[in-house]
Amino acid sequence: MFLSVFDMFKVGIGPSSSHTMGPMVAAARFLDMMRNSPFEFHGLKGSLHGSLAFTGVGHATDRATILGLAGFIPDTYDNDKAEAALADINATHTVQPEGLPPLAFDPKADLVFDYDHTLDGHANAMILMATDAQGDVTLRQVFYSIGGGFVLTEEELAQGKATDEGDPVPYPFKSATEMLEMAKASGKSIAAMKRANEISRGCEVSLAKGTARLWEVMNGCIERGLVTDGILPGGLNVRRRAKGIYDALEAERGMNLTAPHTINDWMSVYAMAVNEENAAGGQVVTAPTNGAAGVLPATLRYYLDHVPGAAPSHIEDFLLTAAAIGGLVKFNASISGAEAGCQAEVGSAAAMAAAGLCAVMGGTPEQVENAAEIALEHHLGMTCDPVKGLVQVPCIERNGLGAIKAVSAASLALRGDGQHFVPLDSAIETMRQTGQDMHEKYKETSLGGLAVNVPNC
């Protein structure tokens, strides 16, 4: 099993990797299908199903789909160009993607939120269709946005294409048990094994440049969030809080009376800064998802800014270790809130961040695995119940607490020798089973929990 660090961490836009980035990616894939088709097309239609329908408005799923059909992709997204394109599409009822003729598309009539028909493959489902001059459908494709910006067609999902199909890698661990066995046999750290796997599929230079860019985008997101205030979009009138908290913390620097627990506020504010940017539709990195994008950058920023002896040269090891753990969770369970609740998003993110921090602070592979297990175990059962379908309440603060748990888990693991009662594989399997048993109203549909018990009008 191999999942690249650049699959686990993808540069994209907020507010959701599965509900915003995924649909945009699906639309781009559909355009490629059209370009490779012998038919002549004159129009486009689409429908959103399951969680994409129920929380699609709050996650800007319709906007992302429309822009995707116009040729936009997450990695190169430009907000000013997107706004101009949307205005033109709404005025002309036409999209003009590169390599295709102008296509009739009225966003209000041709993109349907279908609340009545769920599809079997995944809770995040959408159907895209192209029509001929008579309005008949001549190309139709079902897409599933399976979390973290990953998208599969109906056929790919049925064929198991979510698993790796590339050339063999030196350390093909698909469980934490195998990972530890390979680490012991090779004498390598988890990061070193992951690096060897990455280089076998690419090159060392591109890996270094790629991971450097990932941290640059993550840290840039923190920095923007720390200096921006105002009200987040979406109608809840949630105030940005990161700037105010950060300003207060900066003012307290050097004061002898600062309580030790104030360090928790630093971890939280870094995470909240990211998730406020995400909620505003800004540029973020899936880690492993947008809804959980603040946990890992906050933990890494905490390490760099607050841990004695921390070095930027360790950033790559942090990200590689975290990606290794994230790959295990995704392969054996889920990173999708619509599939397994928030335990699959913030829980997975905390496990990844705890592992990364433990690794760069000198932890053995056994201690790293222990750190990931502690963090995941204490998120088990966490529901995904965003108020009004927005990635704001409780998501923003939840990332802050996820970062605190990640640091605590790494610290506890480093105090031990790596031996512990619950294996990471067991925690991952428990998360999968818990997600399977969890009622649908608690899995990113906004039909239960805080979403219905907090007034949001």
Side-chain angles (χ1 to χ4, degrees):
M1 190 278 296
F2 173 76
L3 187 69
S4 174
V5 65
F6 303 115
D7 290 324
M8 186 56 63
F9 302 120
K10 295 189 285 289
V11 177
I13 57 168
S16 173
S17 49
S18 59
H19 289 61
T20 315
M21 288 175 59
M24 187 178 285
V25 170
R29 289 192 61 184
F30 190 68
L31 293 180
D32 284 338
M33 291 178 183
M34 293 173 66
R35 294 183 185 106
N36 293 323
S37 171
F39 298 110
E40 290 187 4
F41 301 107
H42 290 263
L44 292 167
K45 294 181 181 294
S47 57
L48 305 172
H49 302 261
S51 182
L52 291 188
F54 284 112
T55 62
V57 173
H59 287 101
T61 304
D62 48 349
R63 171 191 169 91
T65 304
I66 295 164
L67 288 171
L69 292 173
F72 285 79
I73 58 174
D75 190 52
T76 58
Y77 177 81
D78 183 298
N79 191 63
D80 291 337
K81 291 180 180 178
E83 289 296 329
L86 283 172
D88 184 67
I89 293 166
N90 284 315
T92 65
H93 294 170
T94 303
V95 293
Q96 301 184 51
E98 185 178 350
L100 289 166
L103 301 163
F105 180 74
D106 180 353
K108 292 183 179 179
D110 294 328
L111 185 60
V112 177
F113 286 81
D114 190 335
Y115 303 103
D116 299 322
H117 301 96
T118 58
L119 304 184
D120 293 336
H122 193 277
N124 294 330
M126 62 192 298
I127 301 173
L128 295 177
M129 296 165 281
T131 59
D132 61 16
Q134 287 73 45
D136 295 327
V137 175
T138 51
L139 182 64
R140 178 185 183 274
Q141 184 62 61
V142 176
F143 290 98
Y144 294 109
S145 180
I146 62 173
F150 292 90
V151 172
L152 294 174
T153 65
E154 184 176 37
E155 296 77 15
E156 288 170 344
L157 188 68
Q159 295 167 12
K161 290 291 182 71
T163 58
D164 179 52
E165 294 183 320
D167 296 331
V169 295
Y171 304 98
F173 52 83
K174 57 182 181 292
S175 69
T177 299
E178 290 182 357
M179 178 180 73
L180 292 179
E181 289 173 349
M182 291 182 187
K184 185 176 182 179
S186 66
K188 293 181 179 293
S189 67
I190 294 169
M193 292 192 297
K194 182 66 175 167
R195 182 177 290 106
N197 288 346
E198 294 285 341
I199 293 173
S200 73
R201 295 285 183 92
C203 74
E204 195 165 356
V205 173
S206 61
L207 176 63
K209 288 183 177 179
T211 51
R213 185 189 178 228
L214 288 174
W215 174 240
E216 180 182 12
V217 175
M218 288 179 180
N219 198 43
C221 191
I222 293 175
E223 291 297 329
R224 291 193 306 276
L226 292 177
V227 298
T228 307
D229 54 17
I231 304 296
L232 293 171
L236 286 182
N237 295 317
V238 172
R239 291 185 301 109
R240 284 181 179 251
R241 297 166 55 202
K243 182 180 185 299
I245 296 171
Y246 177 68
D247 289 345
L249 288 169
E250 282 288 287
E252 294 171 5
R253 275 188 183 273
M255 294 177 61
N256 293 329
L257 298 179
T258 301
H261 67 251
T262 300
I263 192 62
N264 289 333
D265 298 340
W266 282 101
M267 299 176 211
S268 292
V269 78
Y270 295 145
M272 291 171 67
V274 172
N275 285 86
E276 287 177 357
E277 280 294 291
N278 178 63
Q283 187 183 58
V284 297
V285 175
T286 61
T289 66
N290 282 31
V295 176
L296 190 142
T299 305
L300 183 46
R301 178 70 177 261
Y302 158 78
Y303 164 73
L304 292 170
D305 285 7
H306 301 276
V307 175
S313 59
H314 294 156
I315 291 173
E316 184 174 285
D317 278 358
F318 187 110
L319 294 176
L320 288 170
T321 305
I325 299 301
L328 294 178
V329 176
K330 184 181 185 303
F331 182 77
N332 294 296
S334 176
I335 58 170
S336 167
E339 191 171 32
C342 196
Q343 58 173 357
E345 297 207 22
V346 170
S348 298
M352 293 164 63
L357 180 61
C358 184
V360 297
M361 292 187 67
T364 65
E366 291 77 14
Q367 288 172 317
V368 169
E369 184 262 359
N370 188 16
E373 186 281 323
I374 294 170
L376 182 59
E377 179 183 340
H378 297 290
H379 283 89
L380 291 176
M382 183 175 283
T383 60
C384 182
D385 50 354
V387 178
K388 205 179 177 181
L390 300 169
V391 192
Q392 297 179 17
V393 179
C395 319
I396 294 170
E397 285 182 352
R398 188 168 284 177
N399 274 258
L401 272 293
I404 292 171
K405 284 187 181 182
V407 173
S408 296
S411 183
L412 283 173
L414 287 165
R415 294 289 183 184
D417 60 4
Q419 298 183 50
H420 56 106
F421 190 77
V422 179
L424 175 58
D425 288 331
S426 296
I428 292 173
E429 173 59 16
T430 302
M431 191 260 276
R432 186 194 67 79
Q433 294 176 5
T434 304
Q436 192 173 48
D437 294 340
M438 190 180 289
H439 195 286
E440 293 300 316
K441 68 182 181 180
Y442 298 118
K443 294 194 283 189
E444 210 167 356
T445 59
S446 289
L447 297 176
L450 285 176
V452 298
N453 289 307
V454 175
N456 58 48
C457 58

